[in-house]
Amino acid sequence: MDNGNELSSSLSFASSSYLSNGSSSQDVSAATSSESLSKLSTNLEKLLDDAEYNYSDAEIVVEGIPVGVHRCILAARSQFFHELFKKGNDCSVKEGRPTYLMTELVPCGGVGYEAFKVVLSYLYTGRLKPSPPEVSICVDDACAHDACRPAINYAVELMYASANFQMKELVLVVQRRLLNFVEKALVEDVIPILVAAFHCQLNQLLSQCIQRVARSDLDNVSLEKELPDKVSSEIKSLRIKLQPEANPSVEQVDPIHEKHIKRIHRALDSDDVELVKLLLKESYITLDDAYALHYATAYSDPKVVKDVLNLDLADLNHKNFRGHSVLHVGARRKEPSILVALLNKGACASETTSDGQTAVAICRRLTRPKDYNENTKQGQESNKDRICIDVLEREMRRNSMSENLAISSHVIPDDLHMRLDYLESRVAFAQMLFPGEARVAMQVANADSTSVYTGLIASKGSSGNLREVDLNETPSVQTKRLHLRLHTLIKTVEMGRRFFPHCSQVLDKFLADDMPDAFFLEEGTPDEQKIKKMRFMELKDEVQKAFSKDMAEKNLPGLSPSSSSSSSPKKVANCKVRRK
C-alpha cells in the first residue's frame, strides 16, 4: 500500500488509537488544527501589515497617526468594540469611515502608537509580538532593561489598552510582567504601575505595589501629588502600622514643622513666590528645610523655578533625605529650561545619588530610543529628551566655563547699534534654525519675558523697533534701554555657547559670510539674483556640513542629511546681518 492510501486508511480507522507511525489520531487532529490556526493568523496579519490588503472600514487615531481597523474583527474579538460599534453615532466620519480617538477610547492612561499596534496584532492573530525596542528600553547602555522606566511605561500602555478593551487573556499576561517589575524597579518607577492597577481594578497588582511603596523611603509629599487620594491614604495608614525599624528611611516630621512646609508648597502651587518669601520671614523654616526648590523643580512651572532660584536662599546641591539633589529631581522631570537654569546657577552635574546615579544617568534611564533618536530637521523643535541628555553630558565634560562663555571682540563690533544688529540677527537665526535650543537659552537669559526684549524678528519691523525715536525719551534713557537690551542679547548668546556649542558653531559659520546683501535674494538684476542664489546654496552647504559634523560627534543617526534645507531663501531673507 502506498503512503497516501496508508495515511487515508489510518485516519479513517476511528476505532484505532494509534496510526502506523505511532501517533494518536488526537495528535494529528491537534497538529492540523494548530497549523490551520497559524495560517489563519498569518492571513489576518496581512490586513494590518500589507498595504495591498488594506480593506479597513474604520480608523483609530493614536498619537496623531490614523490606524486602519476592521470593525467586524474587533467586534468579534472584544466586547468593548462590539458595544462601541453598535452605538454607531458617537464618532466622527472621515472619507466615509468612522474615526475614533484613542484618548477617548482609553481616557484613564495613555496608549502609544507602538503599544496599540501590538494590541491590535494580538486581536487579529492571537499572538503577542515582542516588545518594540525603540519604546521598551532606555538609552543607557549600562542598563539591563529589565525594569527601566521605558520598559515599565510600555507595559503600562499595554495594560491600559487590554483592560479597557476587555481582553482578559492579555490582561493576565501583562499583569504578570508588571508584577515582575514591582520589586526590581526604583520606587519612583513603581508609581505608574500602581496608578494603572488602581484604574484598571487589578487588586493583586495594586496590593503588591502598595506594599512596596509603603516599605520605601518615598516621601508623603510625592504620594499626595502623584497618587489618587484613596491610595495615598492607604499607604500612609500602612506605614503607621509598620514597625519603625521596618521603614527607617522615611523622614519623621513633627506636625507644626509639616504645617509650615505645606504652606510653602501651596504657595508654590499657586505660583506665588512673593508669598513664599513672606512665609519664610514669618517662620523659622528655610527653603532647604522645606525642600522648596526640590518641590518647585518637580511640580512647578519653569518660571516659578527661576524665581525661586533668583531668591538665592537655597543650596543648589542640598540633598533631600532620599539623597537626591535638585538637579537629580530636574533630571527626572526632563524639562530643558529647568535643567539649564539649575546648571547656570551652579548645580553640580557630577553629583551622585545615594545609589550612585548622576543626573545624566537618571535622564538616560528615563528616555526611549524613539525619542532620543527622533529625526529632527533644522528649523523644527528638537526633542526635549535629547536636549536634556546633551546638556547634562556636556556639563560633565566641561573643563572651563570661561572658554565656552567667551565672546571675542572681533565677533561683535564696538558700535552699540552695530552690536545690537549683530546679536539680534544671531539670535533670530538661532530661533529659525534651532527653535528649541534658542528658546531655552532665551528663557535662562530672561530674554523671553523682559520688557526690553519683546521679540527679535518683530523688532525689525516698524511696530517693534526699539531704536525708533520717542519724543518723550531722553538720549540717556534711550542709551540705558539699548544697553539693557544689549546685555540681554549677550547673555542669550552666552547661554547658547555654553549649553549648545554645536548649534553656536553652526551659527558662527552661517554669520561669517562676506556678502551681507546676499540674503536679499529677490533684489537686483536677474544675473545678480542668480549669483546671490548660488552663493546662498554654497552657504547652506557649509552650514549643513558643520551641522552634520556636530551631530556625527554625538552619534545621532536619526538626523536627516537634508535637515538644513528647511530654511527657505525667502524665510532667511527676512533677517539681515549688518557688520562693521
Side-chain angles (χ1 to χ4, degrees):
M1 185 181 291
D2 59 35
N3 292 338
N5 290 335
E6 182 181 353
L7 178 60
S8 175
S9 176
S10 300
L11 287 173
S12 63
F13 189 52
S15 62
S16 174
S17 298
Y18 293 92
L19 299 176
S20 60
N21 61 3
S23 299
S24 68
S25 59
Q26 290 90 342
D27 290 340
V28 173
S29 178
T32 304
S33 298
S34 176
E35 183 180 356
S36 298
L37 288 173
S38 178
K39 288 182 178 179
L40 177 61
S41 294
T42 302
N43 291 335
L44 287 175
E45 195 169 19
K46 289 181 180 179
L47 297 175
L48 293 175
D49 299 336
D50 194 334
E52 186 178 349
Y53 292 86
N54 181 17
Y55 303 109
S56 59
D57 58 1
E59 64 181 30
I60 298 175
V61 180
V62 189
E63 295 182 336
I65 304 172
V67 179
V69 297
H70 305 78
R71 285 178 289 174
C72 57
I73 295 178
L74 296 189
R77 293 280 286 149
S78 164
Q79 185 65 22
F80 170 86
F81 284 111
H82 172 65
E83 298 294 336
L84 176 69
F85 299 145
K86 190 164 65 173
K87 294 177 183 177
N89 298 320
D90 296 339
C91 62
S92 62
V93 177
K94 181 181 178 182
E95 298 178 354
R97 302 194 304 177
T99 300
Y100 303 87
L101 299 179
M102 179 60 69
T103 52
E104 296 177 357
L105 299 181
V106 185
C108 293
V111 178
Y113 175 77
E114 289 79 10
F116 176 63
K117 290 286 286 184
V118 169
V119 170
L120 198 60
S121 175
Y122 183 84
L123 282 168
Y124 276 65
T125 68
R127 298 190 297 239
L128 185 60
K129 284 186 173 182
S131 303
E134 67 270 18
V135 294
S136 61
I137 64 173
C138 68
V139 296
D140 185 356
D141 295 334
C143 179
H145 308 306
D146 58 347
C148 57
R149 188 61 172 266
I152 290 173
N153 286 346
Y154 171 75
V156 166
E157 289 178 15
L158 289 181
M159 178 56 76
Y160 278 122
S162 56
N164 278 271
F165 299 158
Q166 300 175 22
M167 302 164 63
K168 295 181 180 179
E169 300 89 350
L170 188 55
V171 167
L172 293 175
V173 172
V174 179
Q175 182 174 233
R176 286 196 295 271
R177 187 182 300 185
L178 291 173
L179 285 167
N180 187 49
F181 285 143
V182 172
E183 293 302 325
K184 291 182 179 180
L186 297 172
V187 66
E188 298 96 327
D189 297 330
V190 174
I191 296 300
I193 302 176
L194 195 159
V195 174
F198 175 78
H199 287 303
C200 298
Q201 301 179 8
L202 306 170
N203 294 331
Q204 180 187 359
L205 181 60
L206 180 62
S207 175
Q208 187 161 332
C209 288
I210 288 175
Q211 290 286 338
R212 168 71 199 284
V213 174
R215 298 193 310 268
S216 74
D217 59 357
L218 196 64
D219 57 278
N220 287 339
V221 172
S222 299
L223 298 180
E224 294 167 0
K225 293 291 292 185
E226 300 178 26
L227 294 175
D229 292 339
K230 181 179 178 181
V231 176
S232 63
S233 298
E234 186 174 346
I235 292 174
K236 291 176 186 176
S237 300
L238 183 58
R239 281 180 168 176
I240 294 174
K241 295 177 183 178
L242 293 173
Q243 296 295 325
E245 58 269 16
N247 193 21
S249 55
V250 176
E251 186 181 45
Q252 303 298 319
V253 182
D254 70 79
I256 302 299
H257 187 87
E258 189 173 17
K259 183 179 180 180
H260 287 302
I261 290 176
K262 284 187 175 181
R263 285 178 177 175
I264 293 174
H265 290 174
R266 282 198 294 267
L268 290 171
D269 289 337
S270 302
D271 299 345
D272 195 341
V273 179
E274 290 300 319
L275 179 57
V276 172
K277 291 167 63 177
L278 183 62
L279 292 171
L280 292 174
K281 290 179 181 179
E282 292 179 348
S283 70
Y284 57 88
I285 301 293
T286 67
L287 283 180
D288 291 341
D289 292 335
Y291 299 113
L293 194 50
H294 288 76
Y295 184 91
T297 299
Y299 305 115
S300 298
D301 186 88
K303 183 180 182 303
V304 175
V305 178
K306 283 171 49 179
D307 291 341
V308 175
L309 281 171
N310 290 334
L311 295 178
D312 292 325
L313 297 175
D315 178 5
L316 279 173
N317 297 309
H318 177 60
K319 293 185 177 181
N320 61 19
F321 56 89
R322 301 190 64 224
H324 292 179
S325 70
V326 180
L327 193 63
H328 297 144
V329 175
R332 291 198 68 85
R333 180 167 174 177
K334 294 195 296 183
E335 174 56 50
S337 60
I338 290 178
L339 289 178
V340 170
L342 292 172
L343 292 168
N344 186 49
K345 278 288 188 176
C348 180
S350 60
E351 192 70 46
T352 60
T353 61
S354 54
D355 59 352
Q357 291 192 85
T358 60
V360 69
I362 292 172
C363 209
R364 279 190 166 277
R365 291 285 174 100
L366 296 170
T367 301
R368 309 180 302 178
K370 176 186 177 180
D371 299 322
Y372 185 76
N373 298 321
E374 183 182 19
N375 186 2
T376 304
K377 295 182 179 181
Q378 273 184 272
Q380 295 181 353
E381 290 284 341
S382 298
N383 183 272
K384 284 187 175 183
D385 302 80
R386 190 167 68 207
I387 291 178
C388 289
I389 291 173
D390 289 349
V391 165
L392 290 168
E393 286 184 338
R394 193 170 294 118
E395 280 298 296
M396 293 283 286
R397 296 192 300 264
R398 198 166 65 94
N399 296 322
S400 174
M401 181 183 297
S402 59
E403 179 181 348
N404 288 326
L405 292 182
I407 300 181
S408 57
S409 58
H410 72 273
V411 174
I412 303 179
D414 294 330
D415 179 74
L416 175 60
H417 285 190
M418 293 291 286
R419 295 178 72 183
L420 282 170
D421 262 349
Y422 175 84
L423 292 170
E424 285 173 351
S425 297
R426 184 184 183 90
V427 180
F429 279 121
Q431 288 179 294
M432 188 185 303
L433 300 175
F434 307 103
E437 291 85 344
R439 184 171 58 251
V440 172
M442 291 167 65
Q443 287 174 345
V444 175
N446 291 322
D448 59 330
S449 60
T450 179
S451 60
V452 302
Y453 194 62
T454 56
L456 287 168
I457 296 177
S459 71
K460 298 281 185 179
S462 59
S463 62
N465 193 337
L466 294 181
R467 292 192 289 278
E468 286 182 347
V469 176
D470 184 348
L471 296 178
N472 296 319
E473 187 178 53
T474 64
S476 61
V477 172
Q478 184 189 50
T479 301
K480 181 178 180 181
R481 173 170 57 83
L482 294 179
H483 274 289
L484 183 57
R485 180 178 179 83
L486 179 67
H487 174 76
T488 304
L489 287 163
I490 289 175
K491 188 174 181 182
T492 301
V493 175
E494 286 178 348
M495 293 300 100
R497 288 190 180 280
R498 174 179 174 182
F499 295 107
F500 309 110
H502 297 301
C503 299
S504 294
Q505 290 170 14
V506 173
L507 289 169
D508 288 339
K509 289 180 176 292
F510 201 91
L511 296 173
D513 185 71
D514 294 327
M515 299 175 63
D517 291 329
F519 298 114
F520 293 91
L521 303 179
E522 306 302 327
E523 295 183 359
T525 65
D527 289 339
E528 289 174 342
Q529 291 181 23
K530 183 178 180 181
I531 293 173
K532 290 176 182 180
K533 289 177 181 178
M534 288 177 60
R535 183 67 188 99
F536 175 78
M537 296 307 297
E538 292 173 3
L539 179 60
K540 280 209 307 179
D541 185 58
E542 290 297 320
V543 172
Q544 177 56 32
K545 288 178 180 178
F547 182 75
S548 300
K549 182 179 179 181
D550 293 332
M551 297 303 103
E553 289 178 2
K554 294 188 289 183
N555 192 24
L556 299 177
L559 288 162
S560 168
S562 61
S563 59
S564 68
S565 63
S566 60
S567 299
S568 66
K570 289 186 178 180
K571 187 175 182 182
V572 176
N574 290 332
C575 298
K576 180 179 179 181
V577 182
R578 291 187 191 172
R579 278 182 294 278
K580 199 170 180 179

